[in-house]
Amino acid sequence: MSRISSSLELLSSKSPLLKNLPFSYPSSLFSNPRFPLSPILSQFAVLSSYNQRRSGSSSQDLEMEENKKKKEGMVGFNKRRAEGREAGEKRKTLQHKTPRLNPINTICYVQILGTGMDTQDTSPSVLLFFDKQRFIFNAGEGLQRFCTEHKIKLSKIDHMFFTRVCSETAGGLPGLLLTLAGIGEEGMSVKIWGPSDLTYLINAMKSFIPHAAMVHAQSFGESQSSAGPAVSFSDPGRATDRIVLIDDEVVRLSAIPLRPAQSRGSTLKPGDIAVIYACELPEIKGKFDPDKAASLGLRPGPKYRELQLGNSVMSDHLDIMVHPSDVLGPSLPGPIVLIVDCPTSDHMVELFSLQPLECYYVESSHHPGEGMRRVNCIIHLSPASVTRNADYQTWMKKFGGVQHIMAGHEMKNMEIPVLKASARISSRLNYLCPQFFPAPGFWSPKNNSFFPQPNGYCEDSSPALANRISAENLLKFHLRPLSQLGLDHSAIPSMINHKEIVDELLTEIPEIVDVSEHVSQFWAAESKDVMPKKAENIIMVEEPWMNEASCSTKANFELVRCKESTCLVDGIEKSGVTQNFDIPPCLENITREDMEIVLLGTGSSQPSKYRNVSSIFVNLFSKGSLLLDCGEGTLGQLKRRFGVEGADNAVKGLRCIWISHIHADHHTGLARILALRSQLLKDVPHEPLLVIGPRSLKRFLDAYARLEDLDALFLDCRHTTEASLDSFFSSSNSEHDKYQSQETTLFAQDSRMESFWKRPGSPVDIAMAEPLLIRLKSILRDAGLEALYSVPVIHCPQAFGVVLKAAERINSVRKTIPGWKLVYSGDTRPCQSLIDASADATVLIHEATFEDSMEEEAIAKNHSTTKEAIGVGSSARAYRIVLTHFSQRYPKVPVFDEAHMDRTCIAFDLMSINAADLPVLPKVLPYLKVLFRNEMAVDESDDIQDVAVQ
């Protein structure tokens, strides 16, 4: 180790402030002559308060240090991560498995992993299972959540295939690749197959997926031109040959491209190609006859196995070659499965004329007799609008008595929740407090009018299709052993409904009836204008909170008045900070049609059984809506909350989408939302949707837009900071310079991040942003908002929080009522810029990834603890604090200190907070904990790992 590192060791041994650092520096870092020492030493000063706590410093010293830290704008954080240099030290070559296969006695089946079957937002997945090899077809959003709940190990997958390359079929791929890359020390990789359009998806993911996770991606078929988004086909009706992708001892897997019917000379757009996959297992050898083998001079041993594998061997006692046909009975053809995705009626025309499928038709003249290959099972991923077409059903009859599994979007699946654990939690919360937890949309779909019925639509199946069934989650079709050939319903989860869940709850926690009545009284009191008096707040506290006694008896609640003068934050009284719990003027006479916050995803890193990843829907009712972050599965969560039709209306009503930073758990659901909105509005005059996000998000959108029509405009968050907006609209350069100097205090002088914020936008950037900023101003005005501006925070490069301010309103007596103020932190360490931006906020939604005892991990990952998040809100005098973005190590309820929850609430997925209910919000929390009194921090099914790159 260099002399510098030796000096640091000596220094740490002499100074108690340098002991027990929350994270260590590798020795290679000190030996790098290009690495400056000053950033390391600055960390020692940043972490001094942490070490004082560990060394027993007095509360007075601690308070002085905290005040000093605030004045200097210092906060404990991982500087390398904030500057984007951390990932470069973790480059690795991901493992790719090459299994040793055994074709004898192999177990094989196909299984439906019905992602999206209740919400119709993504294509279901299909698992092809072998003992030593596993394939998945399609990876729509929510695949990880489904597999986590049902204990299907995605780490065992060897290959992934896509029937189409679009957000519907591949929306879950980015998150899955990141999860696999983060497994263990070395990480894992999977081989990805798809039509030539796969190249566009890979290019779009390059901005946030490690290169090593995508090196095994392989496209097939006719290549698309790199010069433009479309390729012209001079003869669109010509036959397409099958493409053999895998041919090993256990399966021969072929792809048959399917293009939509087009007029001669027209162009084929990326994303139009569909693929039919044919999975053919090798023939089943006849039974081995040991008597015949003995008569041919063979001794029992390895040669018996060689003959069973189809290889000829030399006789042990006779001078002859023994062939497999000499000792084996007649062979049986291997089972065959087809996976068919025919997305539109235009594809259907081409499907009927595909020559590579003719060998599977029972009346085929091209392969008479033993040349015909008998299909055992066809899994149809096509939508109901296609499969119920009379011509499509006529085509299905060509395969004879094959088993048809209809796995596309079927109406009957609408009331069957895919994520049963999440649905169970939602129903229990709905029983306790329906005001904050409305009934999920899937229990009572209003109508199914979203299914078009084209010409030729056939309502009833004909007798010839009696072997047609609708897919169910985890339905299997066994292929081997031959004795089990056919359907297997044993793994299908049992049905659940709202009444069953409530009955179970009443049996488990009988006192929940009284608790629910207590909660409902809050709204009864609100209707009678029973509100807290000035300078005090009525808070509902459980006595005792959640101790052993309260688990065996009815919860005992009482009203406790908390005066301003006695309220504490972070365990110490904050000098100079007035704790004012008055109801803010902006809530005076507010209606239920003003603003509602719907927390669609409240978990971090990756989806889990109970919590999806980050997304917040701000419902402004008749004035439209906004999305703050858009993690994977956001569309599915919208449909679970509002129902299919309601969610479609919400998507159509979006005013803009704001993305905090370019981590997969915050933006990979964006393409699905944009693609659906474009589809829903294609016949209606409309404007492209404005997407505000970090600059790197534009690369993703630009690349993905070549694959699907996203119909979006992009605006860099840097142009939407308060200083930038003020400068643009008021041309006040002095104010702009003033705010820029405030922004740079986030990071050390002359650091990479400081230079990033100080760097002025180029004239080209400013010129391109100008029409978008004018558009933003118009959008805000129509939405009844006064301002939307981004706030730089400490997490990774180009990470932001956001502030929304509602416009003033005039009440019935012509009194001016100030607008509410909503602040969302994104991912961040506690930082002064966010505290300043959150001053007097009506609602602060702040990330609280870790519990208080995990401060070291929070610093290393640049996240916040629960206590730190509450401290930010208290310092900003926020009226209500909503904690979210919990680590998935807390599957249901995070760990937190009840002493500081007087204005705070814990977020749950699908929780809806109406602005009119904000005075009641903290009072409900103690009652919610009654639901989870028997829950542990982690259950046996949540083997979630933190993904390093996120």
Side-chain angles (χ1 to χ4, degrees), residues 336-353:
I336 298 175
V337 174
L338 298 183
I339 299 174
V340 179
D341 186 356
C342 181
T344 69
S345 57
D346 289 337
H347 290 81
M348 187 166 55
V349 174
E350 291 293 298
L351 174 67
F352 302 154
S353 60

Side-chain angles (χ1 to χ4, degrees), residues 524-678:
E526 292 290 329
S527 65
K528 297 177 182 178
D529 294 324
V530 180
M531 302 300 293
K533 297 179 181 179
K534 184 176 178 61
E536 63 182 359
N537 188 41
I538 298 177
I539 302 165
M540 194 59 61
V541 179
E542 185 179 358
E543 295 291 346
W545 181 271
M546 283 299 293
N547 59 22
E548 193 171 326
S550 67
C551 292
S552 58
T553 62
K554 288 187 177 182
N556 187 17
F557 301 94
E558 67 176 21
L559 290 175
V560 177
R561 297 186 182 276
C562 179
K563 304 290 186 179
E564 287 182 357
S565 58
T566 60
C567 288
L568 302 181
V569 180
D570 291 343
I572 60 173
E573 189 170 357
K574 294 287 186 180
S575 60
V577 178
T578 302
Q579 304 297 330
N580 189 351
F581 287 174
D582 288 349
I583 296 176
C586 64
L587 297 182
E588 182 179 332
N589 301 127
I590 199 164
T591 71
R592 303 196 69 82
E593 299 298 315
D594 193 284
M595 187 269 287
E596 181 181 56
I597 301 167
V598 182
L599 296 141
L600 299 175
T602 58
S604 67
S605 183
Q606 63 191 85
S608 72
K609 281 171 59 174
Y610 305 106
R611 295 186 185 271
N612 202 53
V613 289
S614 297
S615 184
I616 301 168
F617 180 74
V618 182
N619 190 0
L620 303 176
F621 298 94
S622 62
K623 297 178 181 178
S625 57
L626 297 88
L627 270 176
L628 309 180
D629 276 339
C630 193
E632 176 189 335
T634 292
L635 178 58
Q637 292 294 88
L638 272 174
K639 295 195 174 188
R640 292 181 181 98
R641 169 61 182 85
F642 295 109
V644 172
E645 186 178 11
D648 286 350
N649 290 333
V651 170
K652 288 188 289 186
L654 282 171
R655 297 287 185 178
C656 76
I657 298 178
W658 181 91
I659 303 297
S660 61
H661 62 289
I662 190 81
H663 277 170
D665 57 332
H666 291 259
H667 81 277
T668 51
L670 180 59
R672 187 76 192 102
I673 293 283
L674 294 175
L676 176 63
R677 179 182 180 273
S678 178

Side-chain angles (χ1 to χ4, degrees), residues 740-788:
Q740 285 283 47
S741 65
Q742 293 173 352
E743 287 184 333
T744 57
T745 61
L746 275 171
F747 303 96
Q749 186 175 3
D750 298 327
S751 70
R752 289 180 59 186
M753 289 304 290
E754 185 194 41
S755 63
F756 175 83
W757 294 117
K758 291 180 74 173
R759 184 174 67 240
S762 68
V764 174
D765 288 342
I766 296 173
M768 292 182 63
E770 181 174 349
L772 297 175
L773 291 173
I774 295 173
R775 172 81 184 280
L776 174 61
K777 188 174 183 178
S778 174
I779 289 171
L780 297 179
R781 181 182 61 250
D782 293 342
L785 299 176
E786 177 185 300
L788 177 155

Side-chain angles (χ1 to χ4, degrees), residues 307-360:
L307 288 166
Q308 288 176 302
L309 291 175
N311 302 320
S312 299
V313 298
M314 177 63 71
S315 172
D316 295 314
H317 300 294
L318 303 175
D319 188 20
I320 59 173
M321 288 293 295
V322 181
H323 303 287
S325 58
D326 297 332
V327 294
L328 298 177
S331 297
L332 297 176
I336 298 175
V337 174
L338 298 183
I339 299 174
V340 179
D341 186 356
C342 181
T344 69
S345 57
D346 289 337
H347 290 81
M348 187 166 55
V349 174
E350 291 293 298
L351 174 67
F352 302 154
S353 60
L354 281 177
Q355 290 185 7
L357 292 178
E358 292 183 0
C359 61
Y360 302 119

